[in-house]
Amino acid sequence: MTVQPLKLHPDRLLPADPEVRAIARRLHDRICNLPIVSPHGHTDPAWFATDAPFSNATALLLQPDHYVFRMLYSQGIPLEALGLAPIDGSPAPDVDPRAAWRILGANYHLFRGTPSRMWLDWVFAEAFGLDVQLSAATADLYYDHITSQLATPAFRPRALFDRYGIEVITTTEGPLDSLEHHRAVAESGWKGRVLTAYRPDPVIDPEFEGFRANLARFAELTGEDAFSYRGYLAAHRNRRAFFAAHGATSTDHGHPTAQTADLAPHEAEALFARVIRPDVSPADAELFRAQMLTEMAGMSADDGLVMQIHPGSFRNHNPAIFARFGRDKGADIPTRTDYVHALRPLLARHGNNPALTIIVFTLDESVYARELAPLAGHYPALKLGPAWWFHDSPEGMRRFRHAMTETAGFYNTVGFNDDTRAFLSIPARHDVARRIDCGFLAGLVAEHQIEEWEAAELAQDLTYNLAKQAYRL
């Protein structure tokens, strides 16, 4: 089998037109080395607390990355063959990580044209200095080279954090988390900023597995009666304060829809009494999630935590995978999402508060220009999160900018966040976002819509300033 070279083109993703590309290149040269602000993601805080070396290439680059293993699964490769551990009580597969990596190598052609290919090639070339493409023929070379590098001090988590100029990173923890790893980082003397975000879904979503047991633990942690509505709200305030004391500047809410509600107190109390029963109806579960988004916005207005809403994913769409492996195994699917009617109760109550920041994301690109840009272009509290998840790609980012900018402008958006579980994809993803934004801005300059000095200011803002401001970092 022929071994092909791996080389990252210096003008990758910049516009093809030579005049526009030259402008984009000048803009990119000014911002490419700015620090990385990663205000929302799902990396493991234990990496930074313990600073233990990553064990091998498979553990670092394949097994944590649902973007990667979902593609392999779509082609009939069992998740067990990749070493993913089941949670259904069956024995864990005895899989040699090298064998799992060979599967990735033999199937790397599946990723052609996908953002995963772009991110991984960046990691292979920039982080590990590899100069041949991953394939079946080079899989062992890759595995040995990457794994040996991971054993050196330069590839420990804190060293990589510093190497790639990460100024701050925010992980996401549930309300029952002890935050022990964040405490360990804070007490270690290391200068890296690793913050947390409050993700209360397990005690807000009545359809979340173990909801009643989660409420019992919620009560135990806070000393509040989490089975009374007043005590339940007090428990949230308690945990939000605990998270803020450990560095949190934001909350995050991953609901099936963007539906909000603003019930009278007696109605909300009666609803709560219904949803804590084991026979909760789907309609009551949805109404309670809707009410709690408005309650969480009110708490954010009080305590200053930035509120993020990530709706519109049919999570765990594949019941067999969910039963065997649990959440976040590549089986989440975007759905149609309404924002105009869904957000109105929350925005009617809190949207006019300029001291409050609510960042809304979407997986439904059809609402970009029709709903989200006009909403963010009006309500002082509302900002637009960047192209997210399935649309965190070169074309997805371009569609986002083209659809949103004319109505919402740039300054009702919050820059870029990588939202990843795969640590080394963070600098790779930020590299893509910076190139796409510089290309978009260069087009505006070439069309004489803005001046190049304005584009340079915007490039700095989109890359660095807006995220720091929006997330209060």
Side-chain angles (χ1 to χ4, degrees):
M1 185 179 295
T2 304
V3 174
Q4 299 292 343
L6 172 63
K7 184 178 180 181
L8 301 182
H9 196 285
D11 287 336
R12 61 193 179 277
L13 298 176
L14 299 186
D17 180 274
E19 179 184 354
V20 184
R21 174 174 285 191
I23 300 169
R25 190 185 296 127
R26 291 195 296 270
L27 295 173
H28 184 256
D29 286 345
R30 298 179 67 155
I31 57 89
C32 62
N33 293 318
L34 285 175
I36 288 175
V37 175
S38 179
H40 172 77
H42 301 277
T43 51
D44 188 344
W47 294 341
F48 310 108
T50 65
D51 200 32
F54 297 105
S55 55
N56 57 65
T58 300
L60 175 65
L61 298 172
L62 172 55
Q63 290 169 340
D65 196 338
H66 61 107
Y67 285 80
V68 176
F69 60 69
R70 79 187 303 272
M71 175 65 81
L72 299 174
Y73 183 77
S74 77
Q75 292 288 307
I77 296 168
L79 296 183
E80 293 92 338
L82 305 176
L84 272 69
I87 63 166
D88 62 359
S90 58
D94 184 17
V95 173
D96 179 356
R98 182 187 295 274
W101 186 264
R102 286 173 175 167
I103 292 173
L104 176 61
N107 291 278
Y108 198 53
H109 62 280
L110 299 175
F111 295 92
R112 290 170 180 163
T114 69
S116 292
R117 165 67 181 269
M118 190 169 301
W119 299 329
L120 284 170
D121 278 356
W122 187 97
V123 170
F124 297 152
E126 291 290 326
F128 292 103
L130 289 155
D131 59 4
V132 293
Q133 286 192 16
L134 177 61
S135 65
T138 62
D140 280 351
L141 180 152
Y142 262 70
Y143 185 86
D144 291 336
H145 178 76
I146 293 172
T147 301
S148 67
Q149 291 291 295
L150 293 177
T152 66
F155 282 83
R156 291 199 173 195
R158 293 183 184 180
L160 290 170
F161 187 105
D162 294 336
R163 172 178 170 182
Y164 290 112
I166 299 175
E167 181 175 307
V168 57
I169 191 170
T170 298
T171 65
T172 307
E173 276 69 51
L176 311 181
D177 196 287
S178 68
L179 303 186
E180 61 184 295
H181 299 306
H182 292 86
R183 186 165 55 252
V185 169
E187 295 172 352
S188 69
W190 177 52
K191 301 301 182 184
R193 294 182 67 201
V194 181
L195 309 181
T196 184
Y198 183 63
R199 175 85 171 231
D201 300 1
V203 296
I204 279 183
D205 182 357
E207 295 178 316
F208 201 101
E209 59 271 20
F211 177 67
R212 286 176 56 84
N214 294 341
L215 289 183
R217 178 63 178 151
F218 201 40
E220 180 184 342
L221 285 171
T222 61
E224 302 287 351
D225 178 8
F227 289 90
S228 74
Y229 191 53
R230 180 176 297 182
Y232 171 77
L233 295 180
H236 275 291
R237 294 188 186 95
N238 179 302
R239 291 306 280 173
R240 290 169 67 103
F242 177 76
F243 272 62
H246 286 76
T249 68
S250 64
T251 71
D252 185 37
H253 308 271
H255 289 204
T257 74
Q259 192 65 46
T260 65
D262 191 11
L263 303 177
H266 71 279
E267 294 174 316
E269 190 167 0
L271 174 63
F272 181 73
R274 296 196 300 273
V275 301
I276 61 175
R277 299 196 317 232
D279 59 345
V280 59
S281 71
D284 275 348
E286 174 68 353
L287 182 58
F288 185 69
R289 289 189 294 262
Q291 176 65 19
M292 285 310 299
L293 282 179
T294 304
E295 295 283 6
M296 291 290 106
M299 292 185 192
S300 282
D302 292 336
D303 62 23
L305 294 180
V306 173
M307 182 180 187
Q308 301 172 90
I309 305 176
H310 283 87
S313 177
F314 190 127
R315 296 182 185 266
N316 314 304
H317 192 274
N318 186 332
I321 290 295
F322 179 58
R324 183 153 173 74
F325 295 98
R327 291 178 166 264
D328 305 319
K329 296 300 181 291
D332 301 335
I333 308 297
T335 63
R336 297 188 192 97
T337 308
D338 167 68
Y339 291 88
V340 171
H341 300 95
L343 290 178
R344 191 163 189 263
L346 184 155
L347 292 174
R349 173 60 67 92
H350 299 292
N352 298 301
N353 182 354
L356 173 65
T357 298
I358 302 169
I359 303 172
V360 177
F361 295 77
T362 192
L363 294 176
D364 182 356
E365 292 184 310
S366 72
V367 303
Y368 278 171
R370 186 182 66 243
E371 300 187 28
L372 286 179
L375 285 168
H378 172 72
Y379 283 98
L382 194 63
K383 297 289 185 286
L384 301 178
W388 170 47
W389 200 342
F390 291 89
H391 310 306
D392 177 15
S393 64
E395 291 304 319
M397 293 175 188
R398 291 186 182 107
R399 290 192 295 268
F400 176 89
R401 290 288 177 218
H402 280 288
M404 296 290 204
T405 303
E406 287 187 333
T407 302
F410 291 104
Y411 292 94
N412 284 314
T413 67
V414 300
F416 176 69
N417 66 58
D418 46 77
D419 195 15
T420 184
R421 290 175 172 80
F423 182 29
L424 280 179
S425 81
I426 292 174
R429 290 168 188 243
H430 282 261
D431 174 69
V432 170
R434 294 175 187 196
R435 291 172 179 275
I436 294 300
D437 279 341
C438 286
F440 182 78
L441 294 170
L444 298 182
V445 173
E447 293 172 357
H448 304 292
Q449 295 192 53
I450 61 174
E451 299 296 328
E452 188 166 336
W453 65 265
E454 294 179 286
E457 285 188 359
L458 278 164
Q460 165 100 14
D461 288 336
L462 295 176
T463 299
Y464 182 75
N465 296 335
L466 287 179
K468 289 199 70 171
Q469 293 165 7
Y471 285 89
R472 300 174 184 175
L473 297 170

